[in-house]
Amino acid sequence: MSVLRPADPASPPEYARGDHPSTCVAVVGLGFSGAATAMHLMRQLPAGARLWLIDPEPRRARGLAYGTRCASHWLNVPAGRLGWEPDREDGFIGWLQRRYGAYGAADFVPRMLLGDYLADSLAAAERAAEARGVQVQTLVDAVRGLAALPDGAHELQLASGCRLRADRVVLTTGHLAPEAPRLKDAPPWGSPGLIDTPGSDASLSALPEEGDVLLLGSGLSAIDMLTWLQDRGHVGGVTMLSRRGLLPQPHRSLEARPRPGLQAAQVLAGARGLAGMLRAVRGWAAQAQTEGHDWRDVMANLRSCTPDLWQRLSLRERRQFLRHLQPWWDTHRHRVAPGIHGRLQASLRAGQVELHAGRLQSVLRRDDGMLDVAWRPRGAVSGALVHRRVAAIVNCTGPSARIGHAVHTPPGSLWASLQAEGRLSIDELGLGLRVDGAYRLLDRAGRPQPGLYYVGPMLKAQHWEAIAIPELRVHAKAATEQVMRGLRLDLKV
Ligand SMILES: Cc1cc2nc3c(=O)[nH]c(=O)nc-3n(C[C@H](O)[C@H](O)[C@H](O)COP(=O)(O)OP(=O)(O)OC[C@H]3O[C@@H](n4cnc5c(N)ncnc54)[C@H](O)[C@@H]3O)c2cc1C
C-alpha cells in the first residue's frame, strides 16, 4: 500500500508532473462513499492506470461515521444488511464471522467494526488492483481547489501546496461540518466549554470530566455524545435540548430483515401530493399492524421508492415536508439500536439524563468558568425561560444539511472555491448538489462538467433517501460505471 503524506520528504512537490499514465482517476474523500467508489474503480481500471485516493484523515475508509473510537457508538442497521457492494448485502457479516466467529446477521455492532471491515476490504482490493498493474496511491492531504485543464483533464490543488493532474475526479467529501446555533452576546463556539465539533478527538478531550452538560439536539448525534460521556465515567447530569424533544425510535430486537408481503409501489401508486402520500402511508401502517406487521416494515418497504416519491413532490410540498414532517420522518426512519435505546431509557428513568423541548435563548460565562444557559420551552409564552448552570454545552445537531451555507465557510475550502468559480449548482432548498444522470456535477448554468463526478449525502437534493450505506453503495457503483464508460470512450476500447 502506497501512502504519501505532504511532510514525507520522498513526496515530490508535484506528484504527477512528467509522469502521466494513460489514465488517471482521483477520488477525493475516503469515507464510505470514497472507499466504495475506489474499490469499484480498482476492479475496473485497466492495467497502467493510476488511482489517487486523497483524504486528510490518515485512517482510510472510515469517514465521519465509522472513524469513531467509542465502542458504544453502534451501527443503526443490523450487521447482516451492510456491505460495500450493493449485490452482496452479506459482505460485512461474512467478514465479521471470519474474523470473530460469534456475530449473527441480526446483531447491531459497534460502528468502528464497520470501519475496520471497509479498511480491510480497501487494502485487499488495492492488492488485487496492483497485481493487475493498476497503480494506487493514497495521499494524506485535502483538496482545496480544482481547475479544468484545456485537454479536458483536471488539476487538483492540495492543502499542502502540491498539485496533481487527473482525467476524472470523483468528489466524495461527505458530510458538511455541523452548524452551531448563533446567539447574541454568547461566548464563541470553540471557547472553553462550548464544543461545536463533537466528532473531533481534540474537542472531546477538551470536555470537562465533571459537571452538568447540555447537549443541543436529541437525535443520533446527541445519543452518541451521551454514550461517549457515560463510557468515560462522566460525573454530572446531562440535559438534552431540542426544538421538539423527540428521540429516535428503536429498532426491533433481533430484527433481521423486513417481513415480506408489503408492496410500497402498489400502495403509493395512486397517492397524489404530500397529503395523499401521508394518508396512504398512515393507512398502510395501520393495516400492516392488523396483519401482524409493524410500522418499521412499512418504513423499510418505503425506502426503495422514497426517491420516486420525493421527485413526485412539488417544490412547495418538499418545503412543507421539511417544515412539518421531517422531524417525524427522521425519528422513525433513522432509528437507534435496541441496546442503545434501552440504555438511554434507563438513564432517563434514573434521572441522569433529562430531555426538554425548547429553544436556546442565551449563554453567559460566569467568572468561575461555568455557563449560565436559558431556554424557552416549546409552546411557552415569552418570558417563561428555564435556567440552568452547566460546565459545557455540546452542539449535537449533527452534520449540517445546508450546502448553501457551507460553500462560504470556511473560505478557501473546496466548496467555497467551486462555488466562487460557478462550478456548482445547489438545489432550491439548499439540501444538496445537482448532478446529471451520470453523476456529473452541474455548474451554475446547469451544464454537466466533463470528468467531474459527485457521490455522497448531498445527492439527497435529488433522491432524499441518499445518506446511508444501502443507498450510497448503489450510487458508488453506478457512478463508477459512468466514469468507466467515459474513460472507455476516451481510450476507444
Ligand atoms: C454519526 C453517523 C452515524 C451513522 N451511522 C450509520 C449507520 O449505522 N448505518 C448507515 O447505513 N449509515 C449510517 N450513517 C450514514 C453515513 O452518512 C454514511 O453511511 C456514510 O458514512 C457517508 O459516507 P461519505 O463517505 O459520503 O462521507 P463521510 O463519512 O463524511 O466521509 C467523507 C470523507 O471526505 C474527506 N474530505 C472532506 N473534504 C475533503 C477534501 N477537501 N479533500 C479530501 N478529502 C476530504 C473527509 O476527511 C472524510 O474522510 C451514519 C452517519 C453518521 C454521521
Side-chain angles (χ1 to χ4, degrees):
M1 178 170 75
S2 161
V3 177
L4 299 176
R5 291 181 166 77
D8 184 344
S11 309
E14 298 199 16
Y15 297 116
R17 175 129 312 170
D19 171 23
H20 294 167
S22 56
T23 302
C24 186
V25 180
V27 174
V28 180
L30 212 47
F32 177 82
S33 303
T37 305
M39 289 189 268
H40 286 295
L41 285 165
M42 285 173 192
R43 283 183 181 166
Q44 296 179 44
L45 283 169
R50 174 178 287 168
L51 179 63
W52 297 105
L53 307 179
I54 310 166
D55 196 311
E57 259 302 311
R59 295 167 73 223
R60 303 194 312 167
R62 286 176 167 88
L64 182 63
Y66 313 113
T68 175
R69 295 182 212 297
C70 176
S72 295
H73 289 171
W74 287 11
L75 289 162
N76 52 29
V77 178
R81 280 200 247 141
L82 290 168
W84 67 270
E85 293 176 88
D87 32 16
R88 282 203 53 204
E89 272 201 346
D90 60 349
F92 179 45
I93 186 66
W95 178 89
L96 276 176
Q97 287 172 345
R98 281 194 300 282
R99 179 169 275 212
Y100 298 105
Y103 291 107
D107 289 341
F108 291 86
V109 305
R111 293 209 297 270
M112 57 167 79
L113 291 178
L114 192 94
D116 292 346
Y117 152 76
L118 291 173
D120 262 18
S121 307
L122 186 69
E126 186 170 340
R127 285 191 295 275
E130 286 183 341
R132 285 198 304 107
V134 177
Q135 303 170 50
V136 182
Q137 247 165 1
T138 302
L139 303 181
V140 182
D141 211 331
V143 174
R144 288 277 175 265
L146 267 177
L149 298 174
D151 63 357
H154 299 266
E155 185 183 75
L156 288 83
Q157 294 128 16
L158 307 187
S160 60
C162 300
R163 291 161 189 274
L164 62 89
R165 182 187 185 284
D167 300 293
R168 298 287 186 279
V169 178
V170 190
L171 298 178
T172 48
T173 53
H175 293 281
L176 304 172
E179 257 183 87
R182 288 203 201 130
L183 291 173
K184 203 163 154 264
D185 301 329
W189 288 99
S191 65
L194 280 118
I195 313 291
D196 58 344
T197 49
S200 93
D201 290 345
S203 299
L204 291 178
S205 56
L207 259 173
E209 291 184 14
E210 291 189 7
D212 291 352
V213 175
L214 177 69
L215 306 184
L216 290 182
S218 59
L220 294 172
S221 300
I223 295 174
D224 264 9
M225 193 65 225
L226 173 69
T227 49
W228 183 86
L229 285 168
Q230 290 178 330
D231 281 10
R232 196 177 69 159
H234 185 83
V235 180
V238 177
T239 301
M240 288 177 164
L241 174 68
S242 66
R243 301 264 172 88
R244 290 183 162 81
L246 295 173
L247 290 172
Q249 295 285 329
H251 274 281
R252 274 182 299 224
S253 295
L254 299 176
E255 178 183 54
R257 55 187 60 246
R259 296 178 208 185
L262 300 165
Q263 291 300 328
Q266 282 167 15
V267 175
L268 287 151
R272 292 281 160 263
L274 184 60
M277 288 176 192
L278 183 61
R279 259 195 313 277
V281 171
R282 280 191 169 146
W284 185 20
Q287 170 80 17
Q289 208 150 359
T290 63
E291 291 166 4
H293 296 287
D294 184 300
W295 60 266
R296 294 171 187 82
D297 296 315
V298 170
M299 289 305 283
N301 278 273
L302 205 51
R303 195 159 171 166
S304 59
C305 66
T306 301
D308 171 55
L309 296 176
W310 181 247
Q311 284 150 18
R312 275 161 50 186
L313 294 177
S314 66
L315 187 59
R316 199 171 134 262
E317 289 170 321
R318 288 185 192 184
R319 265 203 194 100
Q320 286 173 336
F321 172 86
L322 296 176
R323 185 142 184 218
H324 303 294
L325 289 180
Q326 189 187 353
W328 277 273
W329 173 271
D330 284 349
T331 51
H332 285 78
R333 170 56 200 87
H334 302 290
R335 299 190 291 273
V336 66
I340 300 295
H341 175 76
R343 186 167 152 177
L344 171 64
Q345 292 301 323
S347 306
L348 285 164
R349 280 196 301 275
Q352 292 154 350
V353 178
E354 286 179 21
L355 174 65
H356 293 272
R359 188 185 279 255
L360 188 64
Q361 296 292 311
S362 66
V363 179
L364 293 173
R365 189 186 301 286
R366 289 163 42 93
D367 290 344
D368 62 3
M370 297 289 279
L371 300 163
D372 279 339
V373 298
W375 69 83
R376 172 159 294 124
R378 185 171 176 81
V381 288
S382 56
L385 297 182
V386 176
H387 296 269
R388 284 289 158 81
R389 183 159 298 162
V390 296
I393 305 175
V394 188
N395 173 30
C396 300
T397 52
S400 167
R402 291 201 305 152
I403 174 74
H405 171 80
V407 292
H408 301 296
T409 48
S413 70
L414 175 61
W415 294 122
S417 88
L418 288 173
Q419 167 79 351
E421 291 159 16
R423 300 187 65 193
L424 293 184
S425 172
I426 297 170
D427 73 302
E428 294 94 330
L429 298 170
L431 288 175
L433 297 170
R434 285 204 178 96
V435 296
D436 72 356
Y439 295 87
R440 290 177 302 182
L441 264 188
L442 302 187
D443 68 11
R444 190 186 290 151
R447 291 172 303 223
Q449 297 175 71
L452 183 58
Y453 301 81
Y454 174 79
V455 178
M458 281 184 279
L459 289 175
K460 78 175 179 187
Q462 273 163 245
H463 301 269
W464 182 246
E465 186 69 80
I467 63 166
I469 288 180
E471 288 74 29
L472 288 174
R473 62 187 172 196
V474 172
H475 292 304
K477 185 175 183 199
T480 302
E481 278 158 17
Q482 296 297 331
V483 172
M484 292 307 303
R485 199 164 156 259
L487 284 173
R488 282 188 205 105
L489 286 176
D490 282 1
L491 296 172
K492 300 190 175 46
V493 292

